[in-house]
Amino acid sequence: MHNLQDNLISILYAEDNPQDSELTLRSLKRHNLTNHLKLVRDGEEALEYLYATGRYSERDKTQIPSLILLDLKMPKVDGIEVLRQVRNNELTKMIPVVILTSSAEEKDIVESYRLGVNSYVVKPLEFGKFSDVASEIGFYWILMNKSIT
């Protein structure tokens, strides 16, 4: 069933780690950005949400998020594959994508930029810094960045 709340989603956040997602959500809430956020737990769910398939088959797929926050190391479908599919689809290829991950491996950074990621952020290990980074990402990409409408 189509959820009216889905029409208001501005951020699609794909994160499998509950602690990281909780901290990010709290940080975004400080900037009143969580009213327009959809949290999904793996790459498969992110793709189903974006393309209105599977458990989101009733969703209006023309309502696309303004930003995708994407973890790289997720079960089922990893963040690199989600990014690849987002960039290869006319409906989603212009959506800003920010990788928010614990991986600082150069091969992940290079591959992400090769596929067209807009920003690559390594999650800080310190609680306070992680919170600051999450809120700054949301603030910049949703409130400051001018995207194509």
Side-chain angles (χ1 to χ4, degrees):
M1 177 171 210
H2 179 68
N3 182 345
L4 290 176
Q5 182 69 20
D6 287 344
N7 291 337
L8 303 174
I9 300 299
S10 293
I11 302 173
L12 176 63
Y13 179 30
E15 172 64 66
D16 65 315
N17 182 318
Q19 293 171 331
D20 288 352
S21 63
E22 177 65 29
L23 184 55
T24 301
L25 292 174
R26 270 196 269 153
S27 301
L28 293 174
K29 190 173 184 176
R30 281 192 283 164
H31 291 286
N32 297 318
L33 295 171
T34 51
N35 290 339
H36 305 284
L37 184 140
K38 175 67 178 176
L39 175 64
V40 295
R41 292 296 180 188
D42 58 59
E44 179 183 84
E45 187 178 358
L47 293 170
E48 286 180 358
Y49 182 83
L50 283 169
Y51 303 117
T53 60
R55 67 198 100 176
Y56 297 102
S57 62
E58 301 285 326
R59 194 181 80 74
D60 178 0
K61 71 178 179 183
T62 63
Q63 298 295 317
I64 59 172
S66 303
L67 172 68
I68 299 172
L69 275 178
L70 192 59
D71 187 20
L72 278 188
K73 311 295 184 190
M74 294 185 291
K76 298 181 183 174
V77 178
D78 68 16
I80 291 291
E81 182 56 30
V82 172
L83 178 60
R84 181 177 289 115
Q85 291 192 37
V86 165
R87 290 300 184 241
N88 286 330
N89 186 297
E90 284 298 317
L91 181 67
T92 57
K93 71 180 184 181
M94 301 301 280
I95 300 172
V97 177
V98 175
I99 300 291
L100 182 60
T101 182
S102 57
S103 174
E105 294 180 40
E106 186 168 334
K107 70 175 182 60
D108 289 336
I109 297 169
V110 169
E111 184 66 5
S112 295
Y113 278 109
R114 190 185 71 73
L115 291 171
V117 75
N118 296 89
S119 185
Y120 190 102
V121 179
V122 177
K123 296 173 185 171
L125 297 176
E126 184 185 320
F127 176 86
K129 285 185 181 175
F130 185 104
S131 178
D132 290 345
V133 165
S135 63
E136 287 170 9
I137 289 170
F139 184 77
Y140 174 77
W141 286 101
I142 296 299
L143 300 177
M144 300 294 289
N145 183 54
K146 185 73 177 162
S147 62
I148 298 170
T149 55

